Amino acid sequence: MAGCLKWFWCHRNYLIVLIVPLLLLPLPLLVPTQEAKCGFVIILMALYWCTECMPLAVTALLPVLLFPTLGIMKSSQVCFLYINDSTMLGVGGLFVAITVEHHDLHKRIALKVALLVGVRPALLMMGFMAVTAFLSMWISNVAVTAMMLPIAQAVLQQLATTEAKRDQRELEEPGGKDNTAFQMENKPEVTVSKQEVIKVKTGDDKRNDTYETPDVERGEEDSPSDWRRKAREAKFLLLTKGMSLGVCYSASIGGTATLTGTAPNIILKGQLDQLFPGNGGVINFASWFGFAFPNMIIMLLLSWLWLQFMYMGFNMKKSFGCGTTDENDEEAFAVMEGEYRKLGPMTFAQGSVLTIFVLLVVMWFTREPGFMPGWAMVLFNQDGQFVTDGTVSIFVSMLFFIIPSQRPRFWCCGRVTEDEEGKVLVAPSSLLTWKVIHERMPWNIMFLLGGSFALARGSEVSGLSMWVGEGLSPIKSIPPFAISLLMCLLVGTLTEFTSNVATTTLLLPILASLATAIELHPLYVMLPCTVSASLAFMLPVATPPNAIAFSYGNLKVLDMVKAGFMLNLIGILSINFGINTWGDAMFKLNTFPSWANVTHGRNL
């Protein structure tokens, strides 16, 4: 019996792929309507995405197969949706991120900020969280987390080593001063029980964490050196947990601030353009940033305060170093300084990438700022939306393939570039080469985005969106803020167990239908739910940054659940606060827009 169960478990993915369609097949057979056929495809993809029996990107290709065979859409119409303006916006953003990573510009920025904030515990955590969030606005949150955590671990290890040496000196020199470096809110009281467990208690008894210590002898009193060692290890274990969680959480939070920061943001723009083609580009880089960046700052600050409370307390003098100086902090500071010096001076390539990156951001912000005519309107868009954010991202991406990675040297100005043997004259490579793209480009993102746009269009064409919207119309009696809050809670829960791409892909068309059915501004529910899809804080498997932190920070699942549960609530409340304040003013959410008053159905 055990062997049989083991066989089923080992082959579960194959069984799911084969059995699930057969179980769902009665739906389109017994109810031969377009809505039921589209529902069959959506439910099948949802189950495949949740179980990950096939790669997510492969599942996203199912509309190409099933929509034509079920008579929902023509193959040419489905395939057309996989490459559009929103997809090109995502591709251009990925090219920029790969170039920044390739030239280590992100590491230079991270270390420079860490050097500026110093090594005091609260400031150190604040600095690492701030720089992680900023970098995650532009490049992959996985890459940022994988880069920042080793740097944080090295700094913390040096801090622990420095304090250990100082403790040893104080024990060898009677009458030495108390250890004041890197203190937390209260000096820990360490007790050893018969079960060989250390308990660290602060003076206010608000924090009580237990850590196993295998080398403690039972029934023996600790010597002063043992006592200090155990207190130090427990203290730095707390800090390591807080720092690891802070980095991975801020990577997810930072991605919400920009339109290209994470895939759900682009999915919202793409589905909004698919479902409401007359929206006039209400979501672009500038408008998204105007709403999401203040919300990101609020979430980041509250997250830092919560982690500070959980792991370090709120003693301003000791945590921030207010009014104190400590010569021994220089040893830990030297670790980051040494890492920064290894990078050497800024190269021509790094300077070029930074310049082009700034140019990209400026062009995005000024293309259509909203409060004044942008450069695109003046030069290109008098008769329609010819130039979009996707156009800008591809333009900037092409510059990376044109500009050389080394300062050009001409024959009349100095020596020309030679190969290693000094025989053949060669030109320097460009800032970005196709070989680098081939190695680092996550092509699966294009299929995921395309699959989401195809599902949205299929739901509209088949009439499923209208059918769902009419079924949800009774909730019109519920206040709009309650609807938004409940939907965000639903999305925040689902995204802990499923991909944020899958969550937004499946739910955004339903939310759009709900909004039109009850005559509510679609962005009032679609926008906060899209941001909520990135709030996966409670489980290691919820998102890759969590998994990376789980392997680095001596974390237990319960540690992540305790910290993440509160951060999920903080994030959802912050998003709904934003959508009802400055979001309402920006997008005029208190009125039902004319572009949302459309008829969904088979109108291709």
Side-chain angles (χ1 to χ4, degrees):
M1 183 63 180
C4 183
L5 292 176
K6 185 176 181 180
W7 184 90
F8 276 106
W9 179 255
C10 292
H11 296 80
R12 65 188 182 279
N13 288 339
Y14 298 103
L15 296 174
I16 292 172
V17 170
L18 295 174
I19 295 175
V20 169
L22 297 177
L23 295 177
L24 296 176
L25 197 57
L27 176 61
L29 294 179
L30 299 179
V31 188
T33 63
Q34 294 298 99
E35 294 89 342
K37 293 176 181 178
C38 186
F40 168 78
V41 177
I42 291 177
I43 295 172
L44 179 63
M45 292 180 66
L47 293 175
Y48 278 7
W49 269 330
C50 291
T51 58
E52 296 189 26
C53 57
M54 290 197 304
L56 299 181
V58 177
T59 302
L61 292 173
L62 283 178
V64 179
L65 170 64
L66 296 179
F67 279 178
T69 55
L70 293 174
I72 298 174
M73 293 177 65
K74 295 179 181 179
S75 178
S76 59
Q77 295 168 336
V78 179
C79 295
F80 177 78
L81 298 170
Y82 279 76
I83 299 293
N84 57 26
D85 180 66
S86 297
T87 307
M88 288 296 101
L89 174 62
V91 170
L94 289 172
F95 278 15
V96 174
I98 290 171
T99 309
V100 171
E101 293 178 43
H102 180 60
H103 293 284
D104 279 338
L105 183 60
H106 60 319
K107 188 174 183 180
R108 181 177 293 276
I109 295 172
L111 289 171
K112 188 63 178 179
V113 173
L115 288 172
L116 292 175
V117 299
V119 296
R120 288 289 175 173
L123 294 176
L124 187 67
M125 179 179 286
M126 180 189 296
F128 271 96
M129 290 182 68
V131 72
T132 301
F134 173 76
L135 292 174
S136 187
M137 291 165 57
W138 316 104
I139 64 178
S140 163
N141 56 7
V142 179
V144 175
T145 306
M147 179 198 70
M148 293 297 295
L149 276 175
I151 299 174
Q153 294 292 316
V155 173
L156 294 179
Q157 183 61 43
Q158 183 58 43
L159 289 169
T161 302
T162 301
E163 186 164 330
K165 292 179 180 178
R166 185 161 54 254
D167 286 347
Q168 187 63 30
R169 287 197 301 266
E170 291 175 2
L171 290 172
E172 293 174 356
E173 299 175 4
K177 64 179 181 179
D178 291 335
N179 177 19
T180 59
F182 210 68
Q183 299 183 65
M184 295 190 182
E185 180 174 314
N186 297 291
K187 188 172 182 179
E189 172 192 308
V190 181
T191 60
V192 182
S193 67
K194 293 183 179 180
Q195 287 76 26
E196 302 180 352
V197 171
I198 292 180
K199 293 185 178 179
V200 181
K201 298 181 180 179
T202 59
D204 56 5
D205 287 331
K206 290 183 179 178
R207 186 177 65 249
N208 186 344
D209 290 325
T210 301
Y211 308 97
E212 295 183 1
T213 310
D215 58 345
V216 177
E217 296 181 4
R218 299 183 181 182
E220 296 183 6
E221 293 185 359
D222 294 327
S223 63
S225 60
D226 288 338
W227 185 88
R228 289 199 177 196
R229 176 181 57 80
K230 293 170 183 176
R232 184 176 60 252
E233 289 176 353
K235 179 173 63 176
F236 276 94
L237 181 59
L238 279 174
L239 182 61
T240 302
K241 288 185 176 186
M243 186 69 73
S244 299
L245 291 173
V247 169
C248 72
Y249 290 162
S250 55
S252 297
I253 292 171
T256 66
T258 59
L259 187 57
T260 57
T262 186
N265 304 353
I266 303 178
I267 289 174
L268 170 65
K269 174 176 170 53
Q271 291 202 5
L272 196 69
D273 293 341
Q274 288 289 334
L275 299 172
F276 308 104
N279 68 77
V282 63
I283 291 294
N284 56 37
F285 188 89
S287 63
W288 179 279
F289 189 87
F291 168 76
F293 182 74
N295 179 72
M296 185 270 285
I297 295 296
I298 294 173
M299 286 197 296
L300 193 67
L301 179 61
L302 294 177
S303 300
W304 170 74
L305 290 173
W306 173 244
L307 293 175
Q308 174 81 9
F309 169 76
M310 285 190 68
Y311 294 106
M312 285 182 284
F314 281 114
N315 188 305
M316 297 291 292
K317 182 176 182 180
K318 294 178 180 179
S319 292
F320 289 88
C322 300
T324 65
T325 58
D326 193 342
E327 297 178 357
N328 294 288
D329 287 346
E330 296 178 0
E331 296 182 34
F333 186 82
V335 175
M336 294 186 292
E337 194 171 28
E339 290 292 323
Y340 187 77
R341 287 177 178 174
K342 288 179 183 178
L343 298 176
M346 180 173 284
T347 63
F348 174 80
Q350 290 176 334
S352 300
V353 173
L354 181 61
T355 302
I356 296 173
F357 174 76
V358 172
L359 173 66
L360 171 66
V361 175
V362 171
M363 292 183 70
W364 266 340
F365 276 115
T366 58
R367 183 187 69 84
E368 194 174 319
F371 58 88
M372 60 176 287
W375 59 265
M377 177 61 69
V378 174
L379 299 176
F380 305 104
N381 292 352
Q382 294 92 342
D383 300 323
Q385 287 287 330
F386 288 95
V387 173
T388 65
D389 288 335
T391 311
V392 175
S393 67
I394 294 300
F395 164 70
V396 169
S397 298
M398 294 185 71
L399 292 180
F400 292 132
F401 292 94
I402 298 173
I403 298 176
S405 58
Q406 298 177 21
R407 182 179 290 105
R409 295 180 180 273
F410 301 98
W411 177 79
C412 59
C413 301
R415 66 176 182 85
V416 293
T417 306
E418 300 179 354
D419 67 354
E420 294 180 356
E421 299 179 358
K423 297 180 181 179
V424 182
L425 300 178
V426 295
S429 62
S430 57
L431 291 172
L432 186 60
T433 63
W434 192 254
K435 181 180 179 181
V436 176
I437 292 294
H438 179 70
E439 294 172 350
R440 300 191 181 186
M441 180 71 177
W443 295 107
N444 61 321
I445 293 296
M446 295 182 63
F447 298 128
L448 289 170
L449 294 175
S452 72
F453 303 150
L455 277 184
R457 186 60 173 162
S459 299
E460 179 187 8
V461 171
S462 66
L464 180 63
S465 295
M466 179 181 292
W467 181 81
V468 172
E470 291 173 352
L472 295 175
S473 58
I475 70 173
K476 187 174 183 179
S477 58
I478 302 177
F481 77 89
I483 296 175
S484 175
L485 186 62
L486 290 174
M487 292 297 102
C488 287
L489 288 171
L490 173 62
V491 172
T493 301
L494 291 177
T495 197
E496 294 289 347
F497 306 98
T498 62
S499 162
N500 56 6
V501 174
T503 302
T504 50
T505 297
L506 295 171
L507 291 183
L508 285 182
I510 297 175
L511 295 175
S513 302
L514 166 65
T516 54
I518 64 177
E519 297 185 351
L520 181 66
H521 198 299
L523 286 180
Y524 190 82
V525 288
M526 296 177 73
L527 185 55
C529 287
T530 300
V531 180
S532 297
S534 297
L535 306 183
F537 299 140
M538 290 179 59
L539 298 175
V541 297
T543 185
N546 291 11
I548 295 173
F550 192 75
S551 64
Y552 268 94
N554 298 319
L555 290 166
K556 297 179 181 178
V557 175
L558 187 59
D559 296 321
M560 193 166 282
V561 170
K562 287 192 297 185
F565 176 76
M566 183 58 67
L567 289 187
N568 278 354
L569 295 180
I570 289 173
I572 290 172
L573 292 176
S574 173
I575 294 166
N576 280 271
F577 171 75
I579 203 68
N580 286 287
T581 51
W582 67 87
D584 189 5
M586 287 181 59
F587 301 109
K588 299 179 180 179
L589 300 178
N590 58 346
T591 60
F592 185 66
S594 58
W595 52 261
N597 189 18
V598 296
T599 301
H600 299 287
R602 295 180 56 82
N603 51 11
L604 280 184

